[in-house]
Amino acid sequence: MSASRRSGTTDELGPDGPGPDGPEGSGGSDLLAALLDGMDAALCAFDADGVVTHWNREAERILGWTAAEAVGRHGFAGWAVRRADAEEVEARLMAAMQAPGRQVHEFALLTKDGGRVLVRTQSAAVRGPDGKPAGLYCAFSEVHTQIDLERSIALSEALFEDASWGVVLVDADLRPAVVNAHAARSLGVGRTSVLGRPLGDLLGQGVEELESALTHVLAEGAPPAPAEIWVGVRTPDGEKRRCWRCGFVRLASPLAEEPVPLGVGWLFQDVTEAKQSEQEASLLRFRSNQLHRAARAAAECEDPAEAAVVHLDFALAGFADHALIDRVAGGAVADGEESGPVRLVRVAATPSGAPGPSLQASGAAGLPLRYGEGHPALQCVDRAGSVRASVGTVSADRAREWAESRQWPSDVVHALCAVLRSRGRTLGAVTFLRGPGRGQFERSDAVYAEDVAVRIAAALDLGGVVGRV
């Protein structure tokens, strides 16, 4: 335990109160000893003559000298410092009594077993009631421990200032407590305005998944690998969908006897562009494989009309919910030969109820479809190009009316029509339809539909040549 000499210097280092022989003297001495022994840093003190007056347990742990062995010695010479270095060390330490503020030095001390320890010291004068130096205290720690602490602090400051990925310290209530500049930009808010707000105020899509991950980390610890979470970031221009690759670490207090969760360190990096490129490449590979498989299956069909249906069925996988093939009534139309309104006849369609293979329509009668003016399929044939249509944001009843008025299944909300062209002529249109569970058709979808339409048109044209369609 700590020890001290009963002197004026000791009284200056201890709490204010009666002298050591007074009624509160022993209590004040016990309090001082408890405070010194509870310090994380090693501490010793000297009186004005350079005699050791205090020596705490951390100093004993580092050097091996007990308080009983250290207190009362004059300086460090011959026991805690090599005699060759003693004069220089003592001069640097005692100079702190005349210098303002704290003085920082590094030098080697000797352990009780003869080893050497490089320490970093902070020394400052202790002044008496008259304001004159009555001694000094010296706090020291092993240099590598100090360097580790400084590195930890430097790392923390760098993460919250200069990191090229988002860093958020989330408290136990799942609210941001500290946010770095990169994270604030990603969230679209200022660094201070985000503090203390629920994550639901900052994110739309994905907030439940993120909060679940944070709760798991608080309870179980960090996951073994990063997690990719799609979130919707609320911005003045609307919600933007982003993919963040997230890492989590649980933060616990180093001062508690048992680990007490302080929160979660959440690090994330925006990988939206890479993820989208990966998804697009995967989708392109899948669609290329579908076209290849469809071509091989269609090559085995004796009937060209059946081959056209095979191309349609292969194209539907992962692309649309329904599909239709409509052919121009009266035969193909060459460019510049239109003599009146174009009429279309149904050739094939997917079942409107339960899923199943497309069915060829009994088009022998050649009855035209009741498509109204401005129907997307008619526009597609008239323009000889793809046409996209979507119901938009309306009620379910209005969406049903929109689909039924165009002769489509009632659950359709998005449509894509691609023209059927072969040998410089327009044969009709193929229509792909999506329900509310899918997104609207994009430009890349139109390119794929046009590839399918080329193959369907070639099959239908062949059927016309051989008299089978």
Side-chain angles (χ1 to χ4, degrees):
M1 61 180 292
S2 299
S4 62
R5 297 193 331 163
R6 295 196 174 190
S7 66
T9 305
T10 302
D11 293 339
E12 290 300 326
L13 291 173
D16 294 334
D21 297 327
E24 299 181 7
S26 61
S29 177
D30 291 343
L31 174 61
L32 176 60
L35 291 174
L36 295 181
D37 284 342
M39 294 179 62
D40 291 331
L43 185 137
C44 64
F46 301 87
D47 62 16
D49 297 326
V51 177
V52 178
T53 60
H54 292 79
W55 189 265
N56 73 348
R57 287 186 178 178
E58 183 65 12
E60 179 181 340
R61 184 193 68 81
I62 294 176
L63 298 181
W65 301 97
T66 65
E69 295 170 321
V71 172
R73 292 177 179 266
H74 189 283
F76 286 153
W79 62 286
V81 174
R82 294 190 312 171
R83 293 192 180 278
D85 301 331
E87 183 177 350
E88 178 187 359
V89 170
E90 183 176 352
R92 292 164 70 181
L93 286 176
M94 301 307 289
M97 285 199 296
Q98 309 301 327
R102 292 178 297 176
Q103 304 295 307
V104 178
H105 302 287
E106 289 185 6
F107 44 75
L109 295 182
L110 293 179
T111 62
K112 187 176 182 180
D113 58 8
R116 299 184 71 195
V117 178
L118 183 64
V119 300
R120 179 173 295 177
T121 66
Q122 294 187 40
S123 305
V126 176
R127 302 188 181 278
D130 57 358
K132 295 181 179 180
L136 65 92
Y137 74 85
C138 172
F140 61 91
S141 60
E142 296 174 82
V143 167
H144 71 83
T145 302
Q146 183 71 17
I147 292 176
D148 288 344
L149 175 61
E150 291 179 2
R151 284 173 178 163
S152 298
I153 295 173
L155 174 61
S156 175
E157 292 181 350
L159 286 176
F160 285 105
E161 294 295 337
D162 306 321
S164 58
W165 55 85
V167 182
V168 181
L169 176 59
V170 182
D171 63 21
D173 295 326
L174 306 187
R175 296 173 182 256
V178 185
V179 178
N180 76 342
H182 187 96
R185 288 194 300 270
S186 298
L187 293 168
V189 292
R191 292 185 64 178
T192 55
S193 60
V194 69
L195 303 182
R197 295 174 59 184
L199 294 174
D201 291 351
L202 307 170
L203 301 173
Q205 174 190 356
V207 66
E208 296 86 0
E209 185 179 357
L210 178 58
E211 289 182 342
S212 176
L214 293 170
T215 302
H216 172 81
V217 173
L218 280 172
E220 305 292 337
E228 292 180 352
I229 301 177
W230 283 93
V231 299
V233 181
R234 295 194 174 104
T235 67
D237 300 329
E239 189 171 287
K240 293 185 177 180
R241 193 163 178 260
R242 312 299 296 172
C243 181
W244 291 345
R245 181 171 291 137
C246 304
F248 305 94
V249 290
R250 181 168 62 177
L251 306 178
S253 173
L255 303 180
E257 293 184 4
E258 297 182 359
V260 177
L262 294 178
V264 177
W266 168 32
L267 295 83
F268 66 89
Q269 188 175 27
D270 194 321
V271 294
T272 306
E273 293 183 3
K275 200 67 179 176
Q276 288 175 340
S277 298
E278 179 182 327
Q279 291 176 346
E280 289 172 2
S282 177
L283 181 61
L284 183 59
R285 286 193 301 270
F286 173 76
R287 290 179 175 178
S288 296
N289 289 336
Q290 287 297 95
L291 290 174
H292 175 71
R293 293 173 61 199
R296 295 193 61 177
E300 302 301 322
C301 297
E302 183 178 351
D303 185 355
E306 183 183 352
V309 172
V310 166
H311 282 293
L312 190 66
D313 286 337
F314 272 93
L316 273 177
F319 183 67
D321 300 312
H322 308 285
L324 315 167
I325 299 178
D326 299 329
R327 185 165 184 174
V328 175
V333 178
D335 294 344
E337 291 185 358
E338 297 87 346
S339 58
V342 174
R343 296 182 302 169
L344 298 177
V345 178
R346 180 63 42 80
V347 174
T350 54
S352 58
S358 301
L359 303 175
Q360 296 185 47
S362 56
L367 297 177
L369 297 164
R370 296 180 294 109
Y371 284 165
E373 184 179 356
H375 191 283
L378 295 177
Q379 294 182 38
C380 172
V381 172
D382 183 57
R383 300 175 184 176
S386 299
V387 174
R388 286 177 284 171
S390 181
V391 68
T393 305
V394 297
S395 65
D397 292 338
R398 291 292 300 276
R400 189 179 304 109
E401 293 175 3
W402 178 84
E404 292 176 350
S405 67
R406 288 158 176 77
Q407 310 298 311
W408 294 332
S410 59
D411 61 340
V412 169
V413 294
H414 308 295
L416 170 60
C417 298
V419 66
L420 301 176
R421 297 273 298 176
S422 179
R423 295 190 295 157
R425 300 173 304 154
T426 299
L427 279 66
V430 56
T431 302
F432 295 98
L433 306 171
R434 287 179 175 175
R438 298 177 184 266
Q440 63 184 5
F441 289 99
E442 304 293 342
R443 177 56 191 158
S444 59
D445 297 324
V447 172
Y448 178 60
E450 290 165 1
D451 285 342
V452 176
V454 168
R455 290 161 171 76
I456 293 175
L460 294 179
D461 195 17
L462 177 62
V465 171
V466 300
R468 299 293 295 270
V469 180

